Amino acid sequence: MNEWHVADLEKWDDVICQHVDDIGLSCFPQEFEICDHNQMLGYMAYSGMPSHYPHWSYGKSFEKLKTLYDHGVSGLPYEMVINSNPSIAYLMRDNSLLLQILTIAHVYGHNDFFRNNFTFRTTNPEYTISGFKSRANRVRSYIEDPTIGLERVERVLDAAHALSMQCRRNLAVRKPSELEHRADALKSAEPAKDPFQQIHKRAEYDPPDLRKTPTQPDEDILLFIRDHNPYLSEWERDLLTIAHEEAQYFIPQMETKIMNEGWASFWHHKILERLDLPTDLHLEFLVRHNQVVCPHEGSLNPYHVGIKIWEDLEKQCEGDDLAPLFAVRESDRDSSFLRRHLSEDLVRELDLFQYGPQGDDLVVTEVSDEAGWQQVRDSLIANTGSNLLPTIQVVDADHDGNRTLLLRHDHDGRDLHPQYAEKALAFVHQLWQYDVVLDTVLGGQPAHLTHGERGFSVQTG
Amino acid sequence: MPPPDSVFRPFRSSDAERSDRAAGDRARHRDKVREAIRENIADIIAEESIIGQDKNRIIKVPIRGIKEYRFIYGDQSPQVAQGNGDTERGQVVGKQGDGQDGAPGKAGDQPGVDYYETDVSLEEVIDLMFEDLELPDMERKRLRQIESERNFKRQGFRQKGIRSRLDKRRTARSRVRRKLAGEEPRSNGPTDRFPFHDGDLTYKHITTDIRLESNAAVICIMDTSGSMDSAKKYLARSFFFLLYQFIRSKYQNVEIVFVAHHTAAKEVTEEEFFYKGESGGTMISSGYKRALEIIEERYHPTLWNVYSFHCSDGDNFDSDNADAVKLAEALTNACNLFGYGEIKPLGPRYYESSMLNVFRRLDADNFQTVLIERKQDVWPSFKALLAKERVPTGPEDE
């Protein structure tokens, strides 16, 4: 049926591994699993994990993927790699031999990136699979527990999923504990050292309010509710933890989409060029590679933008020494990668533009000429990874002295989607069980969205 | 750094067969979709596009209940895309809310932007609608069924029966079987007579198969006089649609007749019925008279379950009211159910006359009136209509 056997793949893989080693990629051990399209759909719906807890949203996503696939709207990816140690990659059974070769090389690019990029340092890849499995077992045990049951588990998970991305995004920076926050607060309230304190009037000491919870605004909404709502049961707290942990797993991938895809494409290209492919395979390679990294006019192909930047960086390297590239793949994420390495020339070459709605139309508001390219680049950064998620912090757990939870949206010029904010706030209220207030800005006006006993209301001005 | 270790796990079809891991979550999602449809059923029915459509048509039902809400940015936020090399400021690159055909802002690419719509066939929606009605079984009993055929059907075999139904072949076989079972091995001596026993006799069993023909005719009568504008006709159409679908779900064979009337009545096609306007005054009795004629000619109540429904704005000539009531009474005798719907899009007080008052005089269990003011009323009034019909009393039950 296939033009290849697993033995062929192993043979090519040996050669590829030699090149991977030569060019200096450093990878986790790699496992490849051949799967058919149904299994691939399943892996896609469950983020590639062999085991995952059940929730209807994954059924929805499966259904959606399958519909798109069945109607030929979108194909399936040739591969899927998960960030674990050993790394696991799924290869589609229907791929041609060349596609498998290309994909294997591509997978090593991702593998190296997962292993070396700083955003993945905190993901504990040794425990990825077992973590997902343990969470799946816990959720199943709550569902099967006759005192809890599917409906209640689902209700908590629905709310937790809505808020799980409202968390700290830069995981490489350690989160200070509450005690450290307090110590900091005390320290910073102390008056500055004064060498002439003998003769000066003693500086006023303004004691910080240590009763306030949280001492510093907290972005981890789920964890905050878990730790500060005493009315939650143990299983509810655990579900919040589960949703939070899952989100933490995805954040590094969101944060490095362009870099990571660019890096893998850059290297699969390099490796396949070194492979000495027979002519027919080489021609197919050129065609496939182009399909993967071609620009998508009117939208944005992260493979294309990514590989362009890496190629641009390669040109700046002196001779054959690609060490600067390896340094960048270690210490950047998409935001910094774009800010530092997406040059004016490149923005122009890619013809990136910024657009927005005007009436019913989407209209170009900025183009990449001398006056506009920085704006376009910054706008691209704002639309990348976790920058697409609004930053909302817990400011006060006892607002107005009646346990109202006060949240503040850090408004960066973009308004929240009002209907979504209303529903999401309802979920905060469901978990917090007391009133919740969200301070934000809508249409240039300060707005306070409240969700509580008396339902939802908006106060502006 | 040594080259990476790698392992290949070949495809195993047994894994693939076992791997329908999403089945449970899909079923759960499907439940939620149905739930959401059921909750929004009144809105879906009020949706113009589904009425008068082929039942196999797929309709898109936007599902609000199963969106995954999160905090996201609104759609006013600027975005970035790639152009073809000469993009200029002010150039229009797409329409807002236009996620498809490669236009910028592909909805699926942004986290949280949920454009989910589900495809449901009209049939499925109708099923859900009637599930929503929770019609008890007695409902069906009430619908008249007519014994159309009496067939005799062979069904199995019995040890007892009348001689004419004896199955000779099976009887003989049964005897042979008994003989072989009792025979001593290798006894080749002269065989004794081996008669039939009563136990060998096998009779064909015949059952009578009564086929209940369930024919129904829906007679839609509508006032097409000058005062019935398109808004009113739309409400009427929604109502007729529900009635037709409901009756079709209960009977095998449903015919539908359209009678349009102003001062005179005639039978028309569906197209003409809903879209052709007439002018002039209204004489409701003319429509009823025509309906009775049609029932007499083609749908005699001994063979057909007849459902008639009349929609009007109630603006009848006063002189006609007495006739109308008389003929309505005749219709209630001929029909399983006769209903009158008064369409008053501006609220009942706005209009001078109403047939609802006139019809108070008519006292029949299978006569119902409803008042429809807005399209949101259509479903509740339809439900009310059937809820009343559910009461198991009435002339037809005897």
Side-chain angles (χ1 to χ4, degrees), chain B residues 134-144 250 386-393 397:
Chain B
E134 291 168 355
L135 288 168
D137 274 347
M138 60 184 170
E139 180 66 29
R140 285 167 203 277
K141 265 186 261 155
R142 186 160 158 66
L143 303 177
R144 190 182 319 184
K250 299 286 163 195
L386 290 176
K388 283 179 192 161
E389 208 220 7
R390 203 183 296 165
V391 179
T393 54
D397 274 83

Side-chain angles (χ1 to χ4, degrees), chain A residues 13 21 30-34 46 49 60 154 162 298-299 350-351 353 355 360-362 364 366 369 415 417, chain B residues 1 5-7 9 21 25 28 72 74 79 81-83 85 87 89-91 93-96 105 114:
Chain A
D13 177 61
D21 186 37
Q30 180 67 52
E31 294 178 7
F32 292 99
E33 202 171 307
I34 317 290
Y46 293 94
M49 293 302 153
K60 170 180 159 183
E154 209 169 64
S299 74
L350 296 172
D351 190 27
F353 62 87
Y355 67 93
D360 282 346
D361 290 330
L362 295 172
V364 176
E366 198 59 86
D369 55 13
D415 282 5
H417 191 298
Chain B
M1 186 59 67
D5 291 334
S6 51
V7 184
R9 275 190 241 117
R21 56 190 308 203
D25 286 340
R28 185 76 192 134
I72 57 168
Q79 292 177 35
Q82 193 166 5
T87 313
R89 284 186 187 83
Q91 188 180 328
V93 288
K95 286 253 175 272
Q96 186 152 31
D114 215 338

Side-chain angles (χ1 to χ4, degrees), chain A residues 77-94:
Chain A
Y78 303 137
E79 47 73 30
M80 186 164 185
V81 198
I82 61 178
N83 163 34
S84 62
N85 179 15
S87 168
I88 301 179
Y90 305 102
L91 302 177
M92 277 276 273
R93 181 172 64 140
D94 301 334

Side-chain angles (χ1 to χ4, degrees), chain A residues 14 22 35 79 104 114 138 154 263 267 273 327 348 351 361 367 381 388 404 407 436 443:
Chain A
D14 283 344
D22 283 353
C35 68
E79 47 73 30
I104 290 169
F114 287 142
R138 273 139 70 199
E154 209 169 64
W263 180 254
W267 286 114
E273 285 293 0
R348 212 170 281 179
D351 190 27
D361 290 330
V367 294
I381 293 171
L388 264 173
T404 296
L407 305 174
V436 287

Side-chain angles (χ1 to χ4, degrees), chain A residues 30-243:
Chain A
Q30 180 67 52
E31 294 178 7
F32 292 99
E33 202 171 307
I34 317 290
C35 68
D36 68 0
H37 69 277
N38 263 324
Q39 286 170 308
M40 188 56 113
L41 285 168
Y43 285 130
M44 286 169 75
Y46 293 94
S47 20
M49 293 302 153
S51 60
H52 194 286
Y53 63 80
H55 186 258
W56 59 266
S57 58
Y58 305 113
K60 170 180 159 183
S61 115
F62 185 96
E63 212 82 82
K64 199 149 135 189
L65 289 166
K66 187 165 162 50
T67 310
L68 293 177
Y69 174 71
D70 288 349
H71 292 298
V73 180
S74 68
L76 290 177
Y78 303 137
E79 47 73 30
M80 186 164 185
V81 198
I82 61 178
N83 163 34
S84 62
N85 179 15
S87 168
I88 301 179
Y90 305 102
L91 302 177
M92 277 276 273
R93 181 172 64 140
D94 301 334
N95 291 348
S96 65
L97 176 63
L98 180 273
L99 270 178
Q100 303 291 27
I101 297 172
L102 181 122
T103 305
I104 290 169
H106 190 85
V107 164
Y108 285 117
H110 283 310
N111 182 332
D112 168 80
F113 195 87
F114 287 142
R115 181 164 179 183
N116 296 289
N117 182 269
F118 84 102
T119 54
F120 291 89
R121 290 278 157 77
T122 53
T123 54
N124 293 330
E126 291 75 22
Y127 303 110
T128 302
I129 302 290
S130 55
F132 273 84
K133 193 162 181 183
S134 144
R135 291 193 284 273
N137 289 340
R138 273 139 70 199
V139 173
R140 287 211 174 83
S141 76
Y142 300 138
I143 290 174
E144 282 157 18
D145 184 337
T147 63
I148 303 172
L150 174 66
E151 303 259 325
R152 291 171 75 198
V153 168
E154 209 169 64
R155 223 174 96 77
V156 177
L157 281 180
D158 286 355
H161 285 180
L163 305 173
S164 63
M165 285 295 170
Q166 297 306 323
C167 58
R168 293 171 69 247
R169 316 275 161 66
N170 195 345
L171 305 176
V173 177
R174 196 176 62 88
K175 183 182 184 180
S177 71
E178 195 61 31
L179 277 176
E180 284 167 303
H181 274 312
R182 284 176 195 207
D184 279 353
L186 285 170
K187 205 168 166 200
S188 56
E190 267 174 32
K193 273 262 186 289
D194 185 353
F196 303 105
Q197 54 187 343
Q198 303 286 350
I199 51 170
H200 283 171
K201 187 179 161 231
R202 181 178 286 187
E204 287 290 323
Y205 178 67
D206 186 17
D209 183 6
L210 290 182
R211 288 169 307 170
K212 192 169 165 252
T213 310
T215 328
Q216 290 291 317
D218 195 340
E219 276 177 77
D220 290 320
I221 294 186
L222 283 182
L223 294 190
F224 185 86
I225 293 176
R226 179 194 71 181
D227 297 336
H228 293 89
N229 179 1
Y231 299 104
L232 292 176
S233 328
E234 256 335 288
W235 65 268
E236 288 173 308
R237 281 180 225 281
D238 193 30
L239 288 179
L240 301 190
T241 313
I242 285 168

Side-chain angles (χ1 to χ4, degrees), chain B residues 46-288:
Chain B
E47 202 53 46
E48 186 153 18
S49 57
I50 74 161
I51 291 162
Q53 292 289 352
D54 172 28
K55 67 167 180 168
N56 292 321
R57 205 184 98 102
I58 298 291
I59 52 172
K60 291 226 177 281
V61 181
I63 301 299
R64 282 173 286 256
I66 55 166
K67 270 192 179 175
E68 292 158 82
Y69 291 101
R70 276 176 279 161
F71 288 110
I72 57 168
Y73 288 121
D75 42 20
Q76 298 298 311
S77 315
Q79 292 177 35
V80 174
Q82 193 166 5
N84 55 8
D86 46 7
T87 313
E88 285 170 18
R89 284 186 187 83
Q91 188 180 328
V92 176
V93 288
K95 286 253 175 272
Q96 186 152 31
D98 183 8
Q100 266 73 42
D101 53 273
K106 284 205 299 188
D109 289 345
Q110 297 158 35
V113 180
D114 215 338
Y115 63 107
Y116 191 77
E117 280 186 334
T118 187
D119 294 347
V120 209
S121 71
L122 194 50
E123 181 103 70
E124 214 173 325
V125 172
I126 292 161
D127 284 351
L128 281 164
M129 268 163 35
F130 297 131
E131 222 171 90
D132 184 46
L133 284 173
E134 291 168 355
L135 288 168
D137 274 347
M138 60 184 170
E139 180 66 29
R140 285 167 203 277
K141 265 186 261 155
R142 186 160 158 66
L143 303 177
R144 190 182 319 184
Q145 294 192 314
I146 289 153
E147 186 185 313
S148 65
E149 267 177 285
R150 187 177 276 271
N151 277 328
F152 297 102
K153 200 170 118 189
R154 257 172 51 182
Q155 197 173 46
F157 300 90
R158 294 286 190 278
Q159 295 290 303
K160 301 244 174 337
I162 54 172
R163 192 38 74 88
S164 66
R165 291 196 191 141
L166 182 73
D167 187 323
K168 298 187 187 86
R169 190 182 152 82
R170 279 171 192 271
T171 305
R173 241 180 19 204
S174 170
R175 172 180 160 273
V176 171
R177 210 181 288 132
R178 190 165 53 83
K179 187 179 166 201
L180 288 173
E183 221 168 51
E184 282 170 37
R186 267 181 256 122
S187 67
N188 286 328
T191 40
D192 293 331
R193 212 176 76 84
F194 195 84
F196 283 95
H197 262 195
D198 274 355
D200 298 334
L201 303 182
T202 306
Y203 299 90
K204 292 169 191 146
H205 184 65
I206 306 286
T207 54
T208 43
D209 179 30
I210 302 172
R211 293 194 61 135
L212 294 171
E213 182 76 356
S214 56
N215 290 323
V218 180
I219 300 182
C220 304
I221 312 165
M222 187 162 67
D223 181 356
T224 51
S225 66
S227 59
M228 283 291 281
D229 54 29
S230 60
K232 291 179 187 173
K233 278 187 184 168
Y234 169 66
L235 292 173
R237 190 159 68 112
S238 311
F239 208 90
F240 286 133
F241 168 79
L242 286 179
L243 190 72
Y244 174 60
Q245 293 296 353
F246 173 68
I247 288 168
R248 219 187 46 181
S249 73
K250 299 286 163 195
Y251 294 95
Q252 287 150 3
N253 178 23
V254 181
E255 291 197 7
I256 186 161
V257 179
F258 299 98
V259 175
H261 75 86
H262 36 102
T263 49
K266 61 174 183 225
E267 189 179 341
V268 295
T269 63
E270 182 175 352
E271 185 79 354
E272 288 169 331
F273 189 67
F274 290 119
Y275 298 108
K276 228 171 114 185
E278 304 274 348
S279 55
T282 310
M283 275 169 73
I284 287 177
S285 63
S286 67
Y288 294 174

